[in-house]
Amino acid sequence: MGLLNALLLLVLLTCSQALPAIAIKYNTTSRRDPKKLNVHLVAHTHDDSGWLKTFDEYYWGTRQYIQTAAVQHILSTVVQALGENPDRKFCYAEMSFFSKWWGLQPPVVQDQVKQLVTRGHLEFINGGFVQHDEAAAHYVAMIDQTTRGHRFLNRTFGITPKTAWQIDPFGHSATQASLLLAAAGFEALFFGRADYQDMKIRSSNKQLEILWRPSVSWGESGQIWTHNYPSGNYGPPEGFNFDYGAWDAPIVDDPTSPEYNVPARVEDFIKQVDKWSDMIQGNDILFMMGSDFQFVNAHANFINMDRYDMGSFSVYGSSNSCMRL
């Protein structure tokens, strides 16, 4: 029996040496091509400051049996992952969590974050202290929480967000769009949720992207470019949730592995692109790569996003600044 085990071990070692793993270098540089269909992979996380758990439970990651979430690890691993590849980008919205995390970081990490912001690798969107509701909230509270978040960003980084990111509110008001967006200097609005009947009509007529003029009296001066995400939510396309622990298959690019799946994953991706392109005008498609409290291990997300390298259309890590252009 000992001799047989030794022979089996020798065969395994020989096979592994004969089929070495192949390190593949991907081109992750942003490269919009006006002659192709451009797929913008916008990495983000939606972090409710209060929902099923308290603010501190969400931040520190306690009481995980209620909901898996740990915002401190999201922000820390995102910063690490962005530093590993200069082509990666990430968008973040909730200043309640970010300001708490920022205050707990050593100067060396704060300097790294400032460089990421300056270079456009980390982009702040919306920038409010939270992402407020638009139906039941009082307008004074909406103004106050937006001011609090923007004041932090202005004092810390000298910036003011230009992209509105109201992806989770159930309904969207003219007051928000005209006074708190267009009049406040925002250049574009992205949201996910809308009435299913309205979305059905807009999807079939390719009217999910519009110039919204919410105020009759203001006219064009109060308009804002608006994008209604085709899924009616704000997560990645079907089958491409790469968050750590998700059930969707990662991209296995080692041809020597029995789990190698690049051709199948490419085919699945093309199907999603074709599906979404039928609902959008032009040749730019937004894929929101993230959802509730995702990117707790940002390396798992970004390593899969890096592996998109198509020929028939351009796929690259993007930001909402790119989508505004």
Side-chain angles (χ1 to χ4, degrees):
M1 182 65 72
L3 178 59
L4 179 59
N5 287 338
L7 289 173
L8 288 173
L9 178 61
L10 179 60
V11 170
L12 290 172
L13 290 174
T14 303
C15 292
S16 64
Q17 292 173 358
L19 297 173
I22 301 174
I24 300 175
K25 175 62 177 177
Y26 287 97
N27 182 5
T28 57
T29 305
S30 297
R31 53 194 186 284
R32 185 182 185 280
D33 188 340
K35 298 180 181 180
K36 292 183 178 181
L37 191 62
N38 296 273
V39 182
H40 300 256
L41 305 180
V42 175
H44 79 104
T45 178
H46 176 61
D47 300 338
D48 296 284
S49 299
W51 181 31
L52 301 178
K53 302 199 294 187
T54 67
F55 175 82
D56 275 274
E57 288 169 349
Y58 274 131
Y59 179 82
W60 294 108
T62 58
R63 303 184 74 185
Q64 296 288 62
Y65 57 88
I66 298 177
Q67 184 182 13
T68 302
V71 178
Q72 61 164 329
H73 302 312
I74 293 174
L75 294 172
S76 293
T77 60
V78 162
V79 169
Q80 293 169 9
L82 291 178
E84 294 172 356
N85 186 335
D87 297 328
R88 292 172 175 171
K89 296 181 180 181
F90 191 82
C91 296
Y92 197 74
E94 292 83 11
M95 293 307 102
S96 54
F97 284 122
F98 188 87
S99 61
K100 181 178 180 66
W101 177 85
W102 174 263
L104 296 172
Q105 302 310 302
V108 63
V109 175
Q110 292 184 346
D111 290 340
Q112 181 185 3
V113 173
K114 288 181 178 179
Q115 293 178 14
L116 292 173
V117 173
T118 300
R119 296 170 182 169
H121 300 153
L122 176 60
E123 180 180 351
F124 295 107
I125 49 180
N126 234 33
F129 203 65
V130 297
Q131 189 175 120
H132 60 239
D133 182 54
E134 298 183 34
H138 194 276
Y139 76 95
V140 173
M142 296 162 70
I143 293 173
D144 286 348
Q145 76 85 21
T146 302
T147 300
R148 184 175 182 181
H150 284 203
R151 181 177 292 149
F152 165 79
L153 287 174
N154 188 263
R155 290 176 175 175
T156 307
F157 302 104
I159 62 173
T160 302
K162 296 296 183 183
T163 300
W165 190 254
Q166 290 289 96
I167 57 175
D168 199 24
F170 289 76
H172 307 279
S173 70
T175 299
Q176 168 73 21
S178 59
L179 298 179
L180 288 173
L181 297 182
F186 283 98
E187 298 175 357
L189 165 63
F190 294 83
F191 62 75
R193 305 189 186 279
D195 180 80
Y196 74 95
Q197 298 171 103
D198 183 68
M199 286 199 64
K200 183 178 180 179
I201 295 174
R202 291 186 180 278
S203 297
S204 60
N205 296 329
K206 292 192 173 186
Q207 295 178 338
L208 291 170
E209 295 173 309
I210 60 173
L211 275 177
W212 186 8
R213 295 179 182 173
S215 173
V216 176
S217 59
W218 285 23
E220 292 186 11
S221 63
Q223 72 185 18
I224 187 167
W225 185 86
T226 302
H227 177 97
N228 186 179
Y229 199 49
S231 70
N233 201 279
Y234 44 86
E238 181 180 356
F240 291 88
N241 182 358
F242 295 129
D243 204 52
Y244 185 76
W247 290 8
D248 293 344
I251 297 176
V252 183
D253 61 352
D254 178 8
T256 68
S257 171
E259 298 297 320
Y260 177 72
N261 64 359
V262 169
R265 294 270 66 196
V266 169
E267 183 177 351
D268 293 339
F269 189 78
I270 291 176
K271 289 180 180 178
Q272 292 299 314
V273 172
D274 288 341
K275 175 183 175 181
W276 289 49
S277 64
D278 289 338
M279 298 181 282
I280 297 295
Q281 297 186 42
N283 60 344
D284 289 277
I285 295 177
L286 164 66
F287 278 171
M288 294 186 184
M289 304 302 292
S291 191
D292 292 356
F293 299 99
Q294 292 196 350
F295 279 78
V296 71
N297 178 1
H299 305 284
N301 301 75
F302 277 115
I303 194 65
N304 282 283
M305 291 172 62
D306 289 347
R307 290 170 180 165
Y308 287 96
D309 198 355
M310 313 290 181
S312 58
F313 47 83
S314 298
V315 183
Y316 49 87
S318 188
S319 69
N320 289 91
S321 294
C322 296
M323 291 296 295
R324 293 200 312 266
L325 299 178

Coordinates of all heavy atoms in Angstrom, one line a residue, residues 213-276:
R213 N -36.9 67.8 -16.0 CA -37.2 69.2 -15.6 C -38.3 69.2 -14.6 O -39.5 69.3 -14.8 CB -37.6 70.0 -16.9 CG -36.6 70.1 -17.9 CD -37.0 70.9 -19.1 NE -36.0 71.0 -20.2 CZ -36.2 71.5 -21.4 NH1 -37.4 71.9 -21.7 NH2 -35.2 71.5 -22.2
P214 N -37.9 69.1 -13.3 CA -38.8 68.9 -12.2 C -39.6 70.2 -11.8 O -40.7 70.1 -11.2 CB -38.0 68.5 -11.0 CG -36.6 69.1 -11.3 CD -36.5 69.1 -12.8
S215 N -39.1 71.4 -12.2 CA -39.7 72.6 -11.9 C -40.2 73.3 -13.1 O -39.4 73.7 -14.0 CB -38.8 73.5 -11.1 OG -39.3 74.8 -10.9
V216 N -41.5 73.6 -13.2 CA -42.1 74.3 -14.3 C -41.6 75.7 -14.4 O -41.3 76.2 -15.4 CB -43.6 74.3 -14.2 CG1 -44.2 75.1 -15.4 CG2 -44.2 72.8 -14.3
S217 N -41.5 76.3 -13.2 CA -41.1 77.8 -13.2 C -39.6 77.9 -13.5 O -39.2 78.9 -14.2 CB -41.4 78.4 -11.8 OG -40.7 77.6 -10.8
W218 N -38.7 77.0 -13.2 CA -37.3 77.1 -13.5 C -37.0 76.6 -14.9 O -36.0 77.1 -15.4 CB -36.5 76.2 -12.5 CG -36.4 76.8 -11.1 CD1 -37.3 77.7 -10.6 CD2 -35.4 76.6 -10.1 NE1 -36.9 78.1 -9.3 CE2 -35.7 77.4 -9.0 CE3 -34.3 75.8 -10.1 CZ2 -35.0 77.4 -7.9 CZ3 -33.6 75.8 -8.9 CH2 -33.9 76.6 -7.8
G219 N -37.8 75.8 -15.5 CA -37.5 75.3 -16.8 C -36.2 74.6 -17.0 O -35.8 73.8 -16.2
E220 N -35.4 75.0 -18.1 CA -34.2 74.4 -18.4 C -33.1 74.6 -17.3 O -32.2 73.8 -17.1 CB -33.6 74.8 -19.7 CG -34.4 74.4 -20.9 CD -33.8 74.8 -22.2 OE1 -32.6 75.2 -22.2 OE2 -34.5 74.7 -23.3
S221 N -33.2 75.7 -16.6 CA -32.2 76.0 -15.6 C -32.3 75.1 -14.4 O -31.3 75.0 -13.6 CB -32.3 77.5 -15.1 OG -33.6 77.7 -14.5
G222 N -33.4 74.4 -14.2 CA -33.5 73.5 -13.1 C -33.5 72.0 -13.5 O -33.8 71.1 -12.8
Q223 N -33.1 71.7 -14.8 CA -33.1 70.4 -15.3 C -31.8 69.6 -14.8 O -30.8 70.2 -14.6 CB -33.2 70.3 -16.8 CG -32.0 70.8 -17.5 CD -32.2 70.8 -19.1 OE1 -33.4 70.8 -19.5 NE2 -31.1 70.9 -19.8
I224 N -31.9 68.3 -14.8 CA -30.8 67.4 -14.5 C -30.9 66.1 -15.3 O -31.9 65.6 -15.4 CB -30.7 67.2 -12.9 CG1 -29.4 66.4 -12.6 CG2 -32.0 66.4 -12.5 CD1 -29.2 66.4 -11.1
W225 N -29.7 65.7 -15.8 CA -29.6 64.5 -16.5 C -29.9 63.3 -15.5 O -29.3 63.2 -14.5 CB -28.3 64.3 -17.2 CG -28.2 63.1 -18.1 CD1 -28.6 63.0 -19.4 CD2 -27.7 61.8 -17.7 NE1 -28.3 61.7 -19.8 CE2 -27.8 61.0 -18.8 CE3 -27.2 61.3 -16.5 CZ2 -27.4 59.6 -18.8 CZ3 -26.8 59.9 -16.5 CH2 -26.9 59.1 -17.6
T226 N -30.8 62.4 -15.9 CA -31.3 61.4 -14.9 C -31.2 60.0 -15.6 O -31.6 59.8 -16.7 CB -32.7 61.7 -14.5 OG1 -32.8 63.0 -13.9 CG2 -33.2 60.6 -13.5
H227 N -30.7 59.0 -14.8 CA -30.6 57.7 -15.2 C -31.3 56.8 -14.3 O -31.0 56.7 -13.1 CB -29.1 57.2 -15.3 CG -28.9 55.8 -15.7 ND1 -28.6 55.4 -17.0 CD2 -28.9 54.7 -14.9 CE1 -28.4 54.1 -17.0 NE2 -28.6 53.6 -15.8
N228 N -32.3 56.1 -14.8 CA -33.1 55.1 -14.0 C -32.5 53.7 -14.3 O -32.6 53.2 -15.4 CB -34.6 55.1 -14.4 CG -35.4 54.2 -13.5 OD1 -36.6 54.2 -13.7 ND2 -34.9 53.5 -12.6
Y229 N -31.8 53.1 -13.3 CA -31.2 51.8 -13.5 C -32.1 50.8 -14.0 O -33.2 50.5 -13.4 CB -30.5 51.4 -12.2 CG -29.4 50.4 -12.3 CD1 -28.4 50.5 -13.3 CD2 -29.4 49.2 -11.5 CE1 -27.4 49.6 -13.4 CE2 -28.4 48.3 -11.6 CZ -27.4 48.5 -12.5 OH -26.4 47.5 -12.6
P230 N -31.8 50.0 -15.1 CA -32.8 49.2 -15.7 C -33.4 48.1 -14.9 O -34.5 47.6 -15.1 CB -32.0 48.6 -16.9 CG -31.0 49.6 -17.2 CD -30.6 50.2 -15.9
S231 N -32.6 47.6 -13.8 CA -33.1 46.5 -13.0 C -34.2 46.9 -12.0 O -34.9 46.1 -11.4 CB -32.0 45.8 -12.3 OG -31.4 46.7 -11.3
G232 N -34.3 48.2 -11.8 CA -35.2 48.7 -10.7 C -34.6 48.6 -9.4 O -35.2 48.9 -8.3
N233 N -33.3 48.2 -9.3 CA -32.6 48.0 -8.0 C -31.2 48.7 -8.2 O -31.1 49.7 -8.9 CB -32.5 46.6 -7.7 CG -32.2 46.3 -6.2 OD1 -31.1 46.5 -5.7 ND2 -33.2 46.0 -5.4
Y234 N -30.2 48.2 -7.6 CA -28.9 48.9 -7.7 C -27.7 47.9 -7.6 O -26.6 48.3 -7.3 CB -28.7 50.0 -6.7 CG -29.2 49.6 -5.3 CD1 -28.3 48.9 -4.4 CD2 -30.5 49.9 -4.9 CE1 -28.7 48.6 -3.2 CE2 -30.9 49.5 -3.6 CZ -30.0 48.8 -2.7 OH -30.4 48.5 -1.5
G235 N -28.0 46.6 -7.9 CA -27.0 45.6 -7.8 C -26.4 45.2 -9.2 O -26.8 45.7 -10.2
P236 N -25.5 44.3 -9.2 CA -24.8 43.9 -10.4 C -25.8 43.1 -11.3 O -26.8 42.6 -10.9 CB -23.7 43.0 -9.9 CG -24.1 42.5 -8.6 CD -24.9 43.6 -8.0
P237 N -25.4 42.9 -12.6 CA -26.3 42.1 -13.5 C -26.4 40.7 -13.0 O -25.5 40.2 -12.3 CB -25.6 42.2 -14.9 CG -24.2 42.6 -14.5 CD -24.2 43.4 -13.3
E238 N -27.4 40.0 -13.4 CA -27.7 38.6 -13.0 C -26.5 37.7 -13.3 O -26.0 37.7 -14.4 CB -28.9 38.1 -13.7 CG -29.3 36.7 -13.3 CD -30.5 36.2 -14.0 OE1 -31.1 37.0 -14.7 OE2 -30.9 35.0 -13.8
G239 N -26.0 37.0 -12.2 CA -24.9 36.1 -12.4 C -23.6 36.6 -12.1 O -22.6 35.9 -12.2
F240 N -23.5 37.9 -11.8 CA -22.2 38.6 -11.7 C -22.0 39.3 -10.4 O -21.4 40.4 -10.3 CB -21.9 39.5 -12.9 CG -21.7 38.7 -14.1 CD1 -22.8 38.4 -14.9 CD2 -20.4 38.3 -14.5 CE1 -22.6 37.6 -16.1 CE2 -20.2 37.6 -15.7 CZ -21.3 37.2 -16.5
N241 N -22.5 38.7 -9.3 CA -22.3 39.2 -8.0 C -21.0 38.6 -7.4 O -21.0 37.4 -7.0 CB -23.5 38.9 -7.1 CG -23.3 39.4 -5.7 OD1 -22.3 40.0 -5.3 ND2 -24.3 39.2 -4.8
F242 N -19.9 39.3 -7.4 CA -18.6 38.8 -7.0 C -18.3 39.0 -5.6 O -17.1 38.9 -5.2 CB -17.5 39.3 -7.9 CG -17.7 38.9 -9.4 CD1 -17.6 39.9 -10.4 CD2 -17.8 37.6 -9.7 CE1 -17.7 39.5 -11.7 CE2 -17.9 37.2 -11.0 CZ -17.9 38.2 -12.0
D243 N -19.2 39.4 -4.8 CA -19.0 39.7 -3.4 C -18.5 38.4 -2.7 O -19.0 37.3 -3.0 CB -20.2 40.3 -2.7 CG -19.8 41.1 -1.5 OD1 -18.9 42.0 -1.6 OD2 -20.4 40.9 -0.4
Y244 N -17.7 38.6 -1.7 CA -17.2 37.4 -1.0 C -18.3 36.6 -0.3 O -19.1 37.2 0.4 CB -16.1 37.8 0.1 CG -15.5 36.6 0.8 CD1 -14.5 35.9 0.1 CD2 -15.9 36.3 2.0 CE1 -13.9 34.8 0.7 CE2 -15.3 35.2 2.7 CZ -14.3 34.4 2.0 OH -13.7 33.4 2.6
G245 N -18.5 35.4 -0.6 CA -19.6 34.6 -0.1 C -20.8 34.5 -1.0 O -21.7 33.7 -0.7
A246 N -20.8 35.3 -2.1 CA -21.9 35.2 -3.0 C -21.9 33.9 -3.7 O -20.9 33.2 -3.9 CB -21.9 36.4 -3.9
W247 N -23.0 33.5 -4.3 CA -23.2 32.2 -5.0 C -22.8 32.2 -6.4 O -22.6 31.2 -7.0 CB -24.6 31.7 -4.8 CG -24.9 31.3 -3.4 CD1 -24.2 31.4 -2.3 CD2 -26.1 30.6 -3.0 NE1 -24.8 30.9 -1.2 CE2 -26.0 30.4 -1.6 CE3 -27.3 30.2 -3.7 CZ2 -27.1 29.8 -0.8 CZ3 -28.3 29.6 -2.9 CH2 -28.2 29.4 -1.5
D248 N -22.7 33.4 -7.0 CA -22.3 33.5 -8.4 C -20.9 33.0 -8.6 O -20.0 33.4 -7.8 CB -22.5 34.9 -9.0 CG -24.0 35.3 -9.0 OD1 -24.8 34.4 -8.9 OD2 -24.3 36.5 -9.1
A249 N -20.6 32.4 -9.7 CA -19.3 31.8 -10.0 C -18.3 32.9 -10.3 O -18.6 33.8 -11.1 CB -19.4 30.8 -11.2
P250 N -17.1 32.8 -9.6 CA -16.1 33.8 -10.0 C -15.5 33.5 -11.4 O -15.8 32.4 -11.9 CB -15.0 33.6 -8.9 CG -15.2 32.1 -8.5 CD -16.7 31.9 -8.6
I251 N -14.7 34.4 -11.9 CA -14.0 34.1 -13.2 C -12.7 33.4 -12.9 O -11.8 33.9 -12.3 CB -13.7 35.4 -13.9 CG1 -15.1 36.1 -14.2 CG2 -13.0 35.2 -15.2 CD1 -14.9 37.5 -14.9
V252 N -12.7 32.1 -13.3 CA -11.5 31.3 -13.1 C -10.7 31.3 -14.5 O -11.2 30.7 -15.4 CB -11.9 29.8 -12.7 CG1 -10.6 29.0 -12.5 CG2 -12.7 29.8 -11.5
D253 N -9.6 31.9 -14.5 CA -8.9 32.2 -15.7 C -7.6 31.3 -15.9 O -6.8 31.5 -16.8 CB -8.5 33.6 -15.9 CG -7.5 34.1 -14.7 OD1 -7.3 33.3 -13.8 OD2 -7.0 35.2 -14.8
D254 N -7.5 30.3 -15.1 CA -6.3 29.4 -15.2 C -6.7 28.2 -16.1 O -7.5 27.3 -15.6 CB -5.9 28.9 -13.8 CG -4.7 27.9 -13.9 OD1 -4.2 27.7 -15.0 OD2 -4.4 27.3 -12.8
P255 N -6.2 28.1 -17.3 CA -6.6 27.0 -18.2 C -6.3 25.6 -17.7 O -6.9 24.6 -18.1 CB -5.9 27.3 -19.5 CG -5.5 28.7 -19.4 CD -5.3 29.0 -17.9
T256 N -5.4 25.5 -16.8 CA -5.0 24.2 -16.2 C -5.9 23.7 -15.1 O -5.8 22.6 -14.7 CB -3.5 24.2 -15.7 OG1 -3.5 25.1 -14.5 CG2 -2.6 24.8 -16.7
S257 N -6.8 24.6 -14.7 CA -7.7 24.2 -13.6 C -9.0 23.6 -14.1 O -9.5 24.0 -15.2 CB -8.1 25.5 -12.8 OG -9.1 25.2 -11.9
P258 N -9.5 22.5 -13.4 CA -10.7 21.9 -13.9 C -11.9 22.9 -13.7 O -13.0 22.6 -14.3 CB -10.9 20.7 -13.0 CG -10.0 21.0 -11.8 CD -8.9 21.8 -12.3
E259 N -11.7 24.0 -13.0 CA -12.8 25.0 -12.8 C -12.7 26.1 -13.8 O -13.5 27.1 -13.7 CB -12.7 25.6 -11.4 CG -12.9 24.6 -10.2 CD -14.3 24.0 -10.3 OE1 -15.2 24.7 -10.5 OE2 -14.4 22.7 -10.0
Y260 N -11.8 26.0 -14.8 CA -11.7 27.0 -15.8 C -13.0 27.3 -16.5 O -13.7 26.4 -17.0 CB -10.6 26.6 -16.8 CG -10.4 27.5 -18.0 CD1 -9.8 28.7 -17.8 CD2 -10.9 27.2 -19.2 CE1 -9.6 29.6 -18.8 CE2 -10.7 28.1 -20.3 CZ -10.0 29.3 -20.1 OH -9.8 30.1 -21.2
N261 N -13.4 28.6 -16.5 CA -14.8 28.9 -17.0 C -14.8 30.2 -17.8 O -15.9 30.7 -18.0 CB -15.7 29.0 -15.8 CG -15.4 30.1 -14.8 OD1 -14.4 30.8 -15.0 ND2 -16.2 30.3 -13.8
V262 N -13.7 30.7 -18.3 CA -13.7 32.0 -19.0 C -14.7 32.0 -20.2 O -15.5 32.9 -20.3 CB -12.3 32.4 -19.4 CG1 -12.3 33.5 -20.4 CG2 -11.5 32.7 -18.2
P263 N -14.7 31.0 -21.1 CA -15.6 31.0 -22.2 C -17.1 31.1 -21.8 O -17.9 31.9 -22.3 CB -15.3 29.7 -23.0 CG -13.9 29.4 -22.6 CD -13.8 29.8 -21.2
A264 N -17.4 30.3 -20.8 CA -18.8 30.3 -20.3 C -19.2 31.7 -19.6 O -20.3 32.2 -19.8 CB -19.0 29.2 -19.3
R265 N -18.2 32.2 -18.9 CA -18.5 33.5 -18.2 C -18.6 34.6 -19.2 O -19.4 35.6 -19.0 CB -17.4 33.8 -17.2 CG -17.3 32.8 -16.0 CD -18.2 33.3 -14.8 NE -19.6 33.3 -15.1 CZ -20.5 34.0 -14.4 NH1 -20.1 34.7 -13.3 NH2 -21.8 33.9 -14.7
V266 N -17.8 34.6 -20.2 CA -17.9 35.6 -21.3 C -19.2 35.5 -22.0 O -19.9 36.6 -22.2 CB -16.7 35.4 -22.3 CG1 -17.0 36.3 -23.5 CG2 -15.4 35.8 -21.6
E267 N -19.7 34.3 -22.3 CA -21.0 34.2 -22.9 C -22.1 34.7 -22.1 O -23.0 35.4 -22.6 CB -21.2 32.7 -23.3 CG -22.5 32.4 -24.0 CD -22.7 31.0 -24.4 OE1 -21.7 30.2 -24.2 OE2 -23.8 30.6 -24.9
D268 N -22.0 34.4 -20.8 CA -23.1 34.9 -19.8 C -23.1 36.4 -19.8 O -24.1 37.1 -19.7 CB -22.8 34.3 -18.4 CG -23.0 32.8 -18.4 OD1 -23.7 32.3 -19.2 OD2 -22.5 32.2 -17.4
F269 N -21.9 37.0 -19.8 CA -21.7 38.4 -19.7 C -22.3 39.1 -20.9 O -23.0 40.1 -20.9 CB -20.3 38.8 -19.5 CG -20.1 40.3 -19.2 CD1 -20.3 40.8 -17.9 CD2 -19.6 41.1 -20.1 CE1 -20.1 42.1 -17.6 CE2 -19.4 42.5 -19.9 CZ -19.7 43.0 -18.6
I270 N -22.0 38.5 -22.1 CA -22.5 39.1 -23.4 C -24.0 39.1 -23.4 O -24.7 40.0 -23.8 CB -21.9 38.3 -24.6 CG1 -20.4 38.6 -24.7 CG2 -22.6 38.8 -25.8 CD1 -19.7 37.8 -25.8
K271 N -24.6 38.1 -22.8 CA -26.1 38.0 -22.8 C -26.7 39.1 -21.9 O -27.7 39.7 -22.3 CB -26.5 36.6 -22.2 CG -26.3 35.5 -23.1 CD -26.7 34.2 -22.5 CE -26.5 33.0 -23.4 NZ -26.9 31.7 -22.7
Q272 N -26.0 39.4 -20.8 CA -26.5 40.5 -20.0 C -26.3 41.9 -20.7 O -27.2 42.7 -20.6 CB -25.7 40.5 -18.6 CG -26.0 39.3 -17.7 CD -27.5 39.3 -17.3 OE1 -28.1 40.3 -17.0 NE2 -28.1 38.1 -17.5
V273 N -25.2 42.0 -21.4 CA -24.9 43.3 -22.1 C -26.0 43.5 -23.2 O -26.5 44.6 -23.3 CB -23.5 43.3 -22.7 CG1 -23.3 44.5 -23.6 CG2 -22.4 43.3 -21.6
D274 N -26.2 42.4 -23.9 CA -27.3 42.5 -25.0 C -28.6 42.9 -24.4 O -29.4 43.7 -25.0 CB -27.3 41.2 -25.8 CG -26.1 41.0 -26.6 OD1 -25.4 41.9 -26.9 OD2 -25.9 39.8 -27.0
K275 N -29.0 42.2 -23.3 CA -30.2 42.5 -22.6 C -30.4 43.9 -22.2 O -31.4 44.6 -22.5 CB -30.4 41.6 -21.4 CG -31.6 41.8 -20.6 CD -31.6 40.9 -19.4 CE -32.8 41.2 -18.5 NZ -32.8 40.3 -17.3
W276 N -29.3 44.5 -21.6 CA -29.4 45.9 -21.1 C -29.3 46.9 -22.3 O -29.9 48.0 -22.2 CB -28.3 46.1 -20.1 CG -28.6 45.4 -18.8 CD1 -29.0 44.1 -18.7 CD2 -28.6 45.9 -17.5 NE1 -29.1 43.8 -17.3 CE2 -28.9 44.9 -16.6 CE3 -28.3 47.2 -17.0 CZ2 -29.0 45.1 -15.2 CZ3 -28.3 47.4 -15.6 CH2 -28.7 46.3 -14.7

